[in-house]
Structures are given as structure tokens and as C-alpha cells.
Amino acid sequence: MPRRRTAPSSSAEERLRTLGQLTGQILERIKLQQARVELAAALQRQCLPTEIPRLPGLQVAGRYAPARDGLDIGGDWYDVFPMSDGSIGFAIGDVQGHDVEAAAYMGQVRTCLRAVAVATTDPAEILGRTNDLLVSMGSDLFVTCLFARFAPATGELTASRAGHIPAVWASCDGQCDVIMADGGLPLGIMPDEKYPSTRRVLTGKGAFVLLTDGVVEGPDYEIEQGLDRVAALVRDSCGADPDALAAEVIKVADLTGHSDDAAVLVLTYDT
């Protein structure tokens, strides 16, 4: 005799309704997170320069690699722009956090740097004034940054660091240096912070590489190992096309086992 189906009990119906509600809430959260990721990615793209200025004897190339976790967007950035005295400003930085707020803050930092650079072209002053502006905004976020200025008339490169990792320099005659000069605190933490500068006259043929810690540090790599690896690449390929060199440097991030995003800015010169 065939069995008759019995209607589900009220408790079973309640469990089904609860399961349906939870499933709906999960789907809504997924849609919200996807929207946040898309917004952060759009903000990230706006913070990368669409056009990089070129000067006689100086070529520039940049690379950005997103975080391996698709939900982590918007921490690292770089910028290149001409300044009022005919020099070129180079900035690279890493905002605390990887979400929409970090991406929006990144846009504020980029705008502040460019605005301050209208009044002064000295990297130390640019970082100091930008820091004070960010502190006055009262955000809980902060950003590490390296700002450099290249003066084509003299070949002098001046750089200041705000809690950021060092740059790497190499010349085609075999010299190489991880520039460990003193810097100040990250931007947005303490008012009236001072940022020391280093100066180097770029002569002959060589390369100057700015990068973020996502390139050189991860679970499988100490930051010193990563910097040594980048220094070896720059030393061996400083005469290469900057796009090719930037592509090789960003690959170091694959060796570190990182989950962070990563950015590289390469300056090659022949003076």
C-alpha cells in the first residue's frame, strides 16, 4: 500500500521559513559586498595616473597588482605629475586597510599631495603640509608615502619618506643601493611631523625604483629578502626599458606568498 505524504509539522515549516530568511540575508550581503568591491576598485583606478609625463633622459613606468583576495581592494597607489617649476613629482603610498574607506582616503591623499605641490616643490615640505591636512580631517586611517622630485635642469632627485619602505637605486656601472635614509611617521598620525630629505644627482645611466611593501614582504619573505631581490633585479636590468623592469619587479610579489596589493614605480635615466 503506498504511503501517504503527511503535511510538515508547524516546527518544520518554521525551520524552512527561517532557512529561507537566512538565505535571503546572505544573498543580500553578498550583493552588498560585491557593490563595495566594485566601488573600491573604481576608486582605485582613479588614483592611478592615466598618463605619465616624459622628459628627455627620463622614462617612467608603473605597475599595480591587486590583492589575491578579491575582497581586498584599494590600499596601494602611485602618482606622477609635473610641478610648477618644471620638475616632476613622484609619489607612491600604502593606505591602512583594504576597503572602500581606504580607497576613498587614498583619493584624498593624492589630491592633498597635488594641491600642496602647487605651493612648494620640496618633498619634505609637501609631506609635512599633507600630513597636517590629513590630521585635521580627523580620520582614523593613515598612509605611508614616499615622495620624490626630479629636477631635469640639474639631474637632482630629492626624496622624503613618511613611514614608507626604502627605494632602490642602481647605475649601469654596477653601483646599487637600498636607500635607508631616515624618514618620519606615516601621514595622518601626528601634526607638525618633520620629514628629512635625501638628495642624489642622477648621472650616467641607471634606475630608481619606488615600491610598496606588498612587493617585498609576505608570509614567505622577510622584507630584507624582498628588497635584496629587487636590488639584484634593478642592478642587473637597470638599462632595460622601464616597462620591462617594472614588470619584473612586480613579479617579486609572487615569491613572497603575499595576499596584499602591490605597486611599483620605475624611473630610468640616461643623462
Side-chain angles (χ1 to χ4, degrees), residues 7-17:
S9 66
S10 59
S11 61
E13 290 178 347
E14 184 64 29
R15 286 195 293 269
L16 287 172
R17 280 196 297 269

Side-chain angles (χ1 to χ4, degrees), residues 20-210:
Q21 292 171 354
L22 290 174
T23 302
Q25 291 173 8
I26 290 171
L27 290 174
E28 286 300 317
R29 289 176 183 175
I30 290 173
K31 290 178 182 178
L32 177 60
Q33 184 60 39
Q34 287 174 338
R36 289 173 63 86
V37 169
E38 290 171 4
L39 174 59
L43 291 169
Q44 170 76 51
R45 288 192 296 271
Q46 289 183 353
C47 288
L48 299 177
T50 56
E51 184 176 346
I52 293 179
R54 290 181 175 270
L55 289 173
L58 180 71
Q59 296 186 18
V60 184
R63 284 289 187 280
Y64 172 77
R68 292 183 178 180
D69 184 345
L71 300 182
D72 285 344
I73 302 289
D76 293 9
W77 55 278
Y78 62 84
D79 198 10
V80 183
F81 57 93
M83 295 199 285
S84 58
D85 63 352
S87 61
I88 301 291
F90 304 92
I92 194 164
D94 184 358
V95 176
Q96 171 207 16
H98 301 86
D99 50 25
V100 176
E101 288 75 18
Y105 192 69
M106 181 169 41
Q108 291 178 327
V109 175
R110 182 174 181 265
T111 300
C112 286
L113 287 169
R114 284 185 172 236
V116 170
V118 173
T120 177
T121 59
D122 177 60
E125 287 190 32
I126 289 172
L127 290 184
R129 295 187 188 185
T130 299
N131 174 67
D132 290 341
L133 279 172
L134 295 174
V135 170
S136 71
M137 293 177 184
S139 173
D140 293 332
L141 297 176
F142 62 85
V143 57
T144 69
C145 181
L146 189 155
F147 192 95
R149 168 187 176 267
F150 177 72
T154 61
E156 184 177 74
L157 184 78
T158 307
S160 290
R161 292 194 298 138
H164 202 74
I165 65 171
V168 175
W169 166 80
S171 65
C172 289
D173 61 5
Q175 299 181 74
C176 186
D177 187 17
V178 176
I179 303 171
M180 300 291 291
D182 290 340
L185 290 173
L187 304 177
I189 294 179
M190 292 286 293
D192 303 320
E193 180 72 3
K194 303 301 180 185
Y195 297 94
S197 292
T198 59
R199 289 176 170 80
R200 184 182 300 263
V201 177
L202 304 183
T203 59
K205 193 173 184 178
F208 194 86
V209 178
L210 290 65

